[in-house]
């Protein structure tokens, strides 16, 4: 059977922003796909009312997984890890199981014990680098993944561990397999999923779980905490006239967009990547100290130049 046709029945566990957007993307960019959704009754019914899923399931998991070719887990990290043993028990032997969690080391550890990969369902870790500050099926969009990187986690024979600092040695240890696609990419089920990602406009990128958590810790999780810190700093200094916020321009709104994300979205992310984040916050605090030392000198210009170059690089990606 051609790889493109290996996946025709999809079960999505968690039909919120990411799961709902994935379902809507399948609707828009693929054909002949039967989509089941599993979530709380009110959430999955809303997904069905939006045309995202064909069948709704709640409560018992086994009926939702029956006959699924692809099981897409779009739940918080802790819920995903808790649910993986039941998914492993009830997933059809031919199925591909993948997740969309924002950190990968803990998920990879749990999956490695539950999915041996031989004569049974195959687990592939994943993380779409796309989202919005507001969660829920009401904010789901079929084009959420378009032109965004989609991390795919390569299995490694090295122990999956988290480091306590961001030294060059740690960075080298995290660089496990970004350059070349691993052997897992040749599994027909994985190939079929990659084709689906490409159809919905995503840009697949292979890398290791520790490398992923290091990278998103700096490029995604640290900016979130920086936005929270800045918003909290300003909130504590509001006066009776609303100053300084009443004089804020669009620049502050752009800078604080991430501050609109709820803690419930970020709780598990922070808890499962706290070592990387702790080290990153230490280094970021030192960078702020350096900026303070340069306030009265022209040396600050070099920091602006570096920031401008990084901004240009981001715009070109």
């Amino acid at each position: 059977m051609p790889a493109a046709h290996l996946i025709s029945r999809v079960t999505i566990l968690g039909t919120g922003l990411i799961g709902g957007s994935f379902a809507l993307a399948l609707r828009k960019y693929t054909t002949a796909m039967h989509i089941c959704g599993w979530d709380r009754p009110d959430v999955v019914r809303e997904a069905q009312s939006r045309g995202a899923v064909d069948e709704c399931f709640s409560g018992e998991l086994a009926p939702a997984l029956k006959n699924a070719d692809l099981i897409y887990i779009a739940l918080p990290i802790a819920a995903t890890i808790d649910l993986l043993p039941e998914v492993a028990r009830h997933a059809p032997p031919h199925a591909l199981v993948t997740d969309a969690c924002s950190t990968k080391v803990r998920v990879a550890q749990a999956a490695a014990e539950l999915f041996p990969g031989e004569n049974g369902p195959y687990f592939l870790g994943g993380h779409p680098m796309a989202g919005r500050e507001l969660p829920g099926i009401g904010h789901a969009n079929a084009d959420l993944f378009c032109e965004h990187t989609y991390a795919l986690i390569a299995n490694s024979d090295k122990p999956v561990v988290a480091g306590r600092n961001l030294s060059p040695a740690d960075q080298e240890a995290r660089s496990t397999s970004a350059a070349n696609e691993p052997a897992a990419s040749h599994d027909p089920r994985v190939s079929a999923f990659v084709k689906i990602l490409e159809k919905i406009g995503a840009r697949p990128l292979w890398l290791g779980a520790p490398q992923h958590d290091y990278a998103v810790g700096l490029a995604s999780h640290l900016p979130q905490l920086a936005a929270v810190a800045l918003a909290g700093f300003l909130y504590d200094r509001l006066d009776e006239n609303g100053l300084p916020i009443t004089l804020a321009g669009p620049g502050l709104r752009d800078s604080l967009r991430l501050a609109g994300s709820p803690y419930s979205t970020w709780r598990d992310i922070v808890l499962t990547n706290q070592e990387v984040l702790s080290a990153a916050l230490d280094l970021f605090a030192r960078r702020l100290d350096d900026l303070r030392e340069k306030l009265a000198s022209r040396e600050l210009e070099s920091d602006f130049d570096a920031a401008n170059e990084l901004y240009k690089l981001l715009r070109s990606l």
Side-chain angles (χ1 to χ4, degrees):
M1 181 182 293
H5 299 117
L6 284 178
I7 297 175
S8 61
R9 297 184 62 90
V10 179
T11 294
I12 299 174
L13 308 182
T15 54
L17 174 64
I18 298 300
S21 294
F22 184 68
L24 290 171
L26 292 178
R27 279 277 181 261
K28 182 174 181 178
Y29 294 107
T30 68
T31 58
M33 195 76 73
H34 184 86
I35 307 171
C36 299
W38 179 90
D39 209 318
R40 300 194 313 270
D42 58 322
V43 176
V44 75
R45 279 198 299 267
E46 184 176 355
Q48 188 175 42
S49 70
R50 291 196 60 185
V53 301
D54 300 297
E55 291 186 78
C56 295
F57 294 90
S58 295
E60 189 178 352
L61 189 60
L65 304 184
K66 186 178 180 181
N67 300 323
D69 302 315
L70 172 67
I71 299 169
Y72 190 94
I73 308 174
L75 296 167
I77 299 164
T80 296
I81 293 173
D82 288 343
L83 204 64
L84 276 180
E86 191 173 358
V87 173
R89 282 197 301 272
H90 297 295
H94 72 278
L96 175 69
V97 181
T98 188
D99 76 303
C101 290
S102 299
T103 62
K104 307 313 313 175
V105 167
R106 301 289 176 83
V107 175
Q109 289 172 330
E113 298 176 0
L114 296 166
F115 297 89
E118 297 179 3
N119 302 318
Y122 187 91
F123 184 86
L124 174 69
H127 179 205
M129 301 307 301
R132 293 179 172 178
E133 64 272 22
L134 298 175
I137 181 64
H139 301 283
N141 189 301
D143 293 316
L144 187 70
F145 306 104
C146 283
E147 301 301 320
H148 289 288
T149 299
Y150 199 110
L152 296 173
I153 304 306
N155 296 326
S156 174
D157 56 1
K158 298 179 180 180
V160 179
V161 296
R164 294 196 59 82
N165 58 65
L166 303 180
S167 68
D170 274 32
Q171 295 180 35
E172 182 178 356
R174 295 174 196 281
S175 300
T176 53
S177 57
N180 298 302
E181 293 185 5
S185 66
H186 301 299
D187 185 294
R189 294 168 291 186
V190 174
S191 298
F193 181 61
V194 171
K195 289 182 184 299
I196 287 174
L197 293 181
E198 292 170 344
K199 282 185 178 181
I200 67 176
R203 300 196 301 253
L205 174 67
W206 288 95
L207 69 171
Q211 182 188 20
H212 169 277
D213 287 5
Y214 165 79
V216 296
L218 270 64
S220 177
H221 308 165
L222 179 62
Q224 174 66 44
L225 294 184
V228 169
L230 179 57
F233 173 82
L234 294 172
Y235 182 80
D236 290 342
R237 284 157 181 80
L238 291 177
D239 66 14
E240 62 276 8
N241 298 312
L243 289 169
I245 297 301
T246 50
L247 288 181
L252 183 63
R253 285 191 289 273
D254 291 343
S255 298
L256 293 185
R257 181 183 65 83
L258 295 175
S261 296
Y263 174 65
S264 58
T265 298
W266 285 90
R267 177 191 59 226
D268 291 354
I269 296 172
V270 172
L271 289 175
T272 55
N273 209 22
Q274 56 185 304
E275 293 180 345
V276 169
L277 277 173
S278 179
L281 285 168
D282 284 343
L283 295 175
F284 187 59
R286 292 181 204 170
R287 192 58 177 257
L288 293 177
D289 288 339
D290 291 340
L291 292 178
R292 183 175 59 246
E293 295 297 325
K294 297 176 182 178
L295 289 176
S297 74
R298 291 280 305 230
E299 292 181 42
L300 195 60
E301 184 175 1
S302 63
D303 291 276
F304 272 79
D305 290 342
N308 294 163
E309 288 301 315
L310 181 64
Y311 180 71
K312 292 176 184 176
L313 178 60
L314 283 172
R315 291 291 297 270
S316 69
L317 293 177

